Structure formats: structure tokens, C-alpha cells
Amino acid sequence: MLSLLTTSLIAMAVPTATGPCPNGVIHQLDGLYRWHVRDMEQRADPVEALPSQRQRFTPSLFELLLQARSLTPTRDGRFLDFDVFSNTQASTFGARVTGCSDEQRGSIQAEVAVTVGLRRVPSETPRRLLYEMTRSSTGSWRINNITYLDEQGFQLRPFLQTLINPEP
């Protein structure tokens, strides 16, 4: 019963992304996934490859991603064990921006359907992610946080902060 109540409260707290998205938001997210799919196909080192995407993220989120991707189980006892752009350990085949919420105070929520799968076979059910996009001082849109809608509102930023700086 409590789980159902929690899920309902989270669903009410997450804004629905039903309207059209600004071109700048679509451009940033489409570009991110084109890079990500290509990066996965080339099996590039995630720590070395990520800096090429710095302009797509707010500086604070980018720094958290870089630090988290640098963690290793042998040295740090913890590491980032999932793909932050799909919330899976599977391959990403592509993504589609499905809608945006209304802009509020320079921020917008963009819902993205991510196609993932195993062994080169895409799943029929896409993963749903909600990107919090903020407008930079230059007017471009940047990723500030990701909420994984399939995981009862699990958010990337707080997770990374805890992963990097665990409580003793």
C-alpha cells in the first residue's frame, strides 16, 4: 500500500511533458544520443569520451558525471554501474524527445523515450527519462538533471552526489 502511495505521489510531482519542445532542447538531446550511440558502438572509454559533450551539461552536473565515471571498484570501492543516459546496463540504440513541459524560470522538462536492448535486439518498450534543461546565460539549453521515470522518480544528481561523497 505504501509503495502504491509513494508511486502516486512521485507521479504527481513529476510534471508531464506534453507540449512541443524548443528547437534548442531537441538539438541538445538528439546530439547527445547520436554521440552516445556512436560512442557505445566504438567502445570508447567513458571517462575520456565524456569531455567532448561538456557543452550539453550544466557545469555542476558535468563535474559530478566526470567524478562518478572516474570511480573504480578496486581503488574507491564503488563505481557508476549503469548507463546514465538509459538507466540500464544494456545497449542504447537511440532516443526520441516526446514532449516538453512549459518553461518556468529558465527551466524546462523534456521527456525522452530511449530504445535499449541486449545483443543488438532492441526492446519493444522504451525507457522513459525526464531531462531537466536550464537555459544558460548565452541562451543555450543545458542538461541539469535526469529523472528516471521507470524507477519511481529516481534522480541522477542526488545519486551522483551520494556516490561521490558517501556518508561514513
Side-chain angles (χ1 to χ4, degrees), residues 30-45 49 52-53 55-56 83 85 91-95:
D30 283 351
L32 173 71
Y33 280 97
R34 274 194 310 277
W35 164 81
H36 184 55
V37 169
R38 186 176 56 244
D39 192 54
M40 291 185 86
E41 289 172 352
Q42 296 173 352
R43 301 188 188 276
D45 180 306
S52 70
Q53 301 303 301
Q55 80 284 357
R56 297 191 193 282
D83 174 9
F85 305 119
S91 297
T92 300
F93 296 104

Side-chain angles (χ1 to χ4, degrees), residues 36 40 46 65 68-69 78-92 127 129 145-148 151 154-161 163:
H36 184 55
M40 291 185 86
L65 282 168
R69 283 195 166 185
R78 60 198 185 285
F79 66 105
L80 189 58
D81 66 344
F82 69 98
D83 174 9
V84 299
F85 305 119
S86 69
N87 192 29
T88 67
Q89 293 178 333
S91 297
T92 300
R127 302 292 293 187
L129 282 66
N145 199 7
I146 303 172
T147 300
Y148 304 103
E151 300 296 327
F154 170 64
Q155 292 191 347
L156 180 62
R157 181 181 286 277
F159 171 78
L160 293 177
Q161 290 167 333
L163 181 67

Side-chain angles (χ1 to χ4, degrees), residues 86-156:
S86 69
N87 192 29
T88 67
Q89 293 178 333
S91 297
T92 300
F93 296 104
R96 181 175 56 88
V97 178
T98 59
C100 284
S101 65
D102 290 333
E103 183 178 350
Q104 296 178 352
R105 291 175 273 141
S107 180
I108 200 166
Q109 304 288 326
E111 189 170 324
V112 177
V114 181
T115 304
V116 299
L118 299 172
R119 296 190 176 112
R120 301 183 193 262
V121 179
S123 169
E124 292 181 21
T125 306
R127 302 292 293 187
R128 293 177 45 238
L129 282 66
L130 192 66
Y131 279 79
E132 177 189 329
M133 306 292 291
T134 58
R135 194 183 296 270
S136 72
S137 61
T138 62
S140 65
W141 290 98
R142 304 248 176 132
I143 302 163
N144 189 49
N145 199 7
I146 303 172
T147 300
Y148 304 103
L149 298 177
D150 300 318
E151 300 296 327
Q152 299 180 356
F154 170 64
Q155 292 191 347
L156 180 62

